[in-house]
Amino acid sequence: MKSALVTGCAGFIGSTLTEALLARGYHVTGIDGLTGNYATWIKRKNMESFIRHPHFRFVPCDLQLSNLNDLLRGVRYVFHQAALPGVRSSWGKDFSRYVHHNISGFQQLLEAVKESPVEKVVYASSSSVYGNMNGPTDESRLPAPISPYGVSKLAGEHLCRLYHDNYGVPVVSLRYFTVYGPRQRPDMAFHRFIRSIRDGTPIHIYGDGEQTRDFTYVADAVNANLLAAEKGRPGEVYNIGGGSRITLNRVIGLLESILDKKAVLFHERKQPGDPKHTWAEIGKAKAELGYAPSVSLWKGLKEQAVHLEKMLESGEGDLSTSL
Ligand code: NAD
Ligand code: UGA
């Protein structure tokens, strides 16, 4: 039996990954504490399409409070997506929450995995471990995070290395580059930009809008997880970029065309912890995993806009975040 454990199964990427695994015939145990920076009703909605699937079991629990050894019984692959995300919100007194969710929770999971015959653990790491990038950046670059969040994700990678080197835990880290698409978190740029253009409210741009991101469509990030589970070399780290590196200003132009409406812009100061550019060199993921991004930014933005419109029309609840 093909069996997987997905942590963070109610989140943006975790729910999309769970759907993909179920569609491929996996039995999936999903764990999610329904915590974090945005409303629980959105997370429940993310799971709507599979919560009653006969091969899905939902464990609504914080990682550190769950009986992980029991949950890992019979599991072949673990996909660790649970974390408190968000670069800009990781400053201030709340950092202890990042430590709890992103470091301590993961260490508990690795402790449990080291006692079980799991074939592969895939860890959702982040481009934010690098800090600033001035050109195509590969995995040999020494990480130098510039946000507390980036530090917490890099600590996760170090835990992977320790548990791999000392206990042979077969863990692979994927450094996702700014993921977008249907279900994107409400604190993230495209989600906010689409809503602002639709509602005629100002888009708050941090800085001059000339920052770039190597935006990655969510289905490509999900596919990278499936490939990493099968082919990823334990102990290794892979960049997962979308090949759609572009400035925010140009994205806003694309969204104006898609939504057929002008954006109202309001510039704010650049935010601490935000890299000016991200730029993924994905040669290693291509060569070793067979990974290649497949969705263009234009198509991906359209999918996200359509999905968000449906959600807003349903009028189910407040989309605001605690950020
Ligand atoms: P998300 O907040 O939508 O999903 C994370 C989920 O994990 C949430 O549903 C949350 O309730 C759950 N969770 C958090 N801590 C938990 C805990 N201790 N126990 C159980 N459940 C817990 O975030 P996302 O955007 O889907 O990100 C998924 C992963 O990918 C995260 O690890 C994030 O750091 C990483 N990542 C995301 C991006 C991106 O652009 N979205 C980029 C790089 C890396
Ligand atoms: C995203 C995720 O939120 C992180 O969890 C992840 O780790 C990171 O990608 C990554 O690639 O590692 P970020 O790049 O900040 O972080 O993604 P967005 O929130 O979509 O922001 C993209 C850009 O838009 C940033 O420069 C940000 O400052 C800007 N932005 C965002 C605005 O100008 N206005 C907003 O309202 C929101």
Side-chain angles (χ1 to χ4, degrees), residues 237-275:
V237 172
Y238 299 91
N239 281 346
I240 302 301
S244 296
R245 187 174 159 268
I246 188 173
T247 65
L248 286 191
N249 290 329
R250 285 196 52 210
V251 170
I252 290 168
L254 294 177
L255 287 173
E256 287 178 327
S257 304
I258 289 168
L259 299 168
D260 195 21
K261 211 169 159 191
K262 285 302 277 182
V264 183
L265 304 183
F266 179 82
H267 284 271
E268 286 190 30
R269 74 182 173 101
K270 178 191 173 301
Q271 302 286 299
D274 259 347

Side-chain angles (χ1 to χ4, degrees), residues 199-261:
D199 297 344
T201 56
I203 288 179
H204 291 246
I205 300 183
Y206 304 140
D208 59 8
E210 285 302 296
Q211 62 264 53
T212 60
R213 291 287 177 278
D214 201 327
F215 293 106
T216 307
Y217 190 66
V218 62
D220 287 327
V222 162
N223 192 35
N225 274 271
L226 302 174
L227 292 167
E230 272 181 35
K231 302 180 191 166
R233 271 194 297 142
E236 291 296 318
V237 172
Y238 299 91
N239 281 346
I240 302 301
S244 296
R245 187 174 159 268
I246 188 173
T247 65
L248 286 191
N249 290 329
R250 285 196 52 210
V251 170
I252 290 168
L254 294 177
L255 287 173
E256 287 178 327
S257 304
I258 289 168
L259 299 168
D260 195 21
K261 211 169 159 191

